[in-house]
Amino acid sequence: MSNRTAEEIRGGRVMSTQMQFDKALQHERDIEANFWESQAPKVAGLGVSVADPESVHGPGETQRAINWLGMLDRYAQSVDQRVKMAGWMETFAQRGGQLVIHGAAVSDLDFFAGRYDLVLVAAGKGELVSMFERDASRSPYDAPQRALAVSYVHGLGPRPETPDTESVRCNLVPGVGELFVMPCLTTSGRCDILFWEGIPGGPLDVFQGIKDPGEHLAKTLELMEEFTPWEYARATKVELTDANGTLSGRYAPTVRKPVGRLPGGGAVLGVADVVVANDPITGQGSNSASRCAAAYTAAILERGEEPFDEAWMQQTFDRFWDFVQHTTKWTNAMLAPPPEHILNLIGAAGELQPVADRFANGFADPSDFEEYFYEPEKTEAYLKSVTGG
């Protein structure tokens, strides 16, 4: 059940940024739903630039203190969710699924819970999400940590240092926010996404009142010229992919309890962002959603003829949480001002390619950060092991 048709989604506003790494892409290959893999840019690396705080004082004058590119073991890809969700809905119907176009309310779920073995809820916001209780023990933030502003563009030039390598760029501006630049496949072909994450109340938190897409892009470029002139230099000829190619907003990163209880006594199971909505600073949303779908599917198949009761729902979520807890921990850590040992690690990656590569591949498997990221002692030991010191 969807409140929009496939055509309405395809012709509507962009819904997100997304970058899927190999494990998430593999889930789509496994069920033969990877329709766009041959068309989408194959992202081979992930780069980090850090603006020198001392040089941030005027358009074009900001310098980079750190700049490196880590190489991924296997490529990543980004497909505009307008393309992907619309295509999947059509395929679902073609493969025999019943697709109902109707905005679901709690009363609908009450009805379905009595008629179906299992009801799953995948919603971004609104009445349905409010059925799921916030898990305070897993949600350290109760307010948005970034103001988000997205532009999908054509015409971005290649990166001068690595013109032949498709890569995601993470540009960190200390005390201000982050700019992410990523290749993508959209409704009109290959494009790039320019994505500002601004600290609330800071100089990047200026998109709330902007309704005009052209004005949104102009503000994006103006901020790039001031804070990331090395990216602005290749963006002087960009234009929006379409009139719906911008998005802005903010939300508090939240983990919710997986079982939603209905007025009639039934229960429903939350999926993906309903239960784990991390900030997009680490680009993990679509990866986590894919993992969630794969974990739930496996649990459904294993259940056989047994009922999908509340205990099973909790166990099924716990299985997903075993993986996604690492994503949540890392994402929340990246929202905070970096401690000295993390700055040292990011700096070392500029001198030591194995460190850059390992950090890049952590986006594909965030559990690896447990080994060397959070504790200064582990970071120091890891860097010594790489340098032989």
Side-chain angles (χ1 to χ4, degrees):
M1 179 173 278
S2 167
N3 65 346
R4 292 192 291 166
T5 66
E7 274 308 308
E8 285 170 339
I9 289 172
R10 196 178 277 118
R13 183 168 291 282
V14 292
M15 296 182 279
S16 68
T17 60
Q18 61 285 308
M19 181 58 64
Q20 286 193 290
F21 297 88
D22 184 66
K23 285 187 171 68
L25 295 175
Q26 188 58 47
H27 293 318
E28 295 179 14
R29 297 175 189 126
D30 291 343
I31 60 168
E32 298 179 17
N34 59 323
F35 307 133
W36 305 276
E37 186 157 7
S38 64
Q39 303 163 52
K42 290 180 168 59
V43 174
L46 186 137
V48 172
S49 296
V50 181
D52 181 353
E54 300 297 313
S55 70
V56 178
H57 52 67
E61 296 179 12
T62 304
Q63 305 295 315
R64 281 179 286 192
I66 294 170
N67 180 39
W68 50 259
L69 179 66
M71 302 309 294
L72 295 168
D73 293 341
R74 296 177 180 85
Y75 64 77
Q77 290 188 309
S78 174
V79 177
D80 184 342
Q81 288 194 355
R82 296 178 297 181
V83 173
K84 185 174 279 190
M85 298 307 168
W88 279 349
M89 284 167 68
E90 290 164 346
T91 302
F92 172 76
Q94 288 163 6
R95 291 184 182 179
Q98 183 186 1
L99 176 63
V100 177
I101 304 303
H102 173 72
V106 171
S107 56
D108 294 299
L109 300 190
D110 232 347
F111 174 75
F112 292 131
R115 298 213 25 190
Y116 289 87
D117 295 319
L118 177 62
V119 177
L120 298 150
V121 179
K125 55 191 174 187
E127 180 192 26
L128 299 189
V129 176
S130 65
M131 290 192 311
F132 297 86
E133 181 187 349
R134 179 174 179 267
D135 187 339
S137 67
R138 292 171 170 170
S139 306
Y141 300 114
D142 58 7
Q145 298 301 297
R146 293 291 189 275
L148 314 173
V150 176
S151 300
Y152 278 56
V153 299
H154 290 310
L156 186 72
R159 188 163 179 268
E161 301 100 308
T162 51
D164 300 323
T165 303
E166 294 276 21
S167 62
V168 180
R169 298 297 308 173
C170 308
N171 298 279
L172 312 179
V173 186
V176 176
E178 300 82 25
L179 172 72
F180 297 87
V181 183
M182 61 192 89
C184 179
L185 178 72
T186 187
T187 52
S188 50
R190 192 210 177 283
C191 71
D192 287 277
I193 300 172
L194 308 175
F195 176 32
W196 276 116
E197 288 224 359
I199 293 172
L204 303 178
D205 186 4
V206 291
F207 288 89
Q208 268 183 302
I210 298 177
K211 302 292 183 222
D212 178 74
E215 189 183 342
H216 179 109
L217 177 60
K219 180 58 70 175
T220 295
L221 295 171
E222 180 187 315
L223 294 168
M224 287 173 66
E225 185 177 16
E226 180 168 0
F227 293 108
T228 59
W230 54 90
E231 297 289 10
Y232 176 75
R234 61 194 186 111
T236 54
K237 295 180 179 174
V238 301
E239 54 188 37
L240 290 174
T241 55
D242 61 282
N244 288 316
T246 62
L247 182 67
S248 63
R250 65 188 72 207
Y251 62 89
T254 306
V255 177
R256 297 183 184 90
K257 295 181 179 176
V259 180
R261 290 178 179 81
L262 298 163
V268 293
L269 176 59
V271 178
D273 281 4
V274 170
V275 285
V276 182
N278 291 315
D279 189 278
I281 193 168
T282 54
Q284 294 296 305
S286 58
N287 295 274
S288 296
S290 177
R291 295 275 192 140
C292 184
Y296 283 17
T297 302
I300 289 167
L301 294 173
E302 289 164 13
R303 190 66 170 166
E305 297 303 311
E306 295 294 308
F308 300 118
D309 53 22
E310 288 191 33
W312 174 86
M313 290 180 182
Q314 185 64 53
Q315 289 164 4
T316 297
F317 171 76
D318 290 343
R319 176 177 183 164
F320 168 51
W321 180 253
D322 281 345
F323 163 76
V324 83
Q325 62 177 323
H326 300 293
T327 300
T328 298
K329 181 178 179 179
W330 175 50
T331 303
N332 288 339
M334 291 296 284
L335 287 168
E340 186 178 1
H341 73 280
I342 298 300
L343 292 174
N344 292 341
L345 178 72
I346 292 172
E351 310 296 325
L352 304 165
Q353 192 61 40
V355 176
D357 293 347
R358 186 172 185 181
F359 189 89
N361 284 284
F363 283 75
D365 182 9
S367 65
D368 186 48
F369 288 114
E370 291 287 348
E371 304 301 319
Y372 71 98
F373 187 83
Y374 302 109
E375 297 163 35
E377 299 77 17
K378 286 186 177 180
T379 304
E380 188 178 346
Y382 167 59
L383 293 177
K384 280 184 177 174
S385 74
V386 176
T387 59

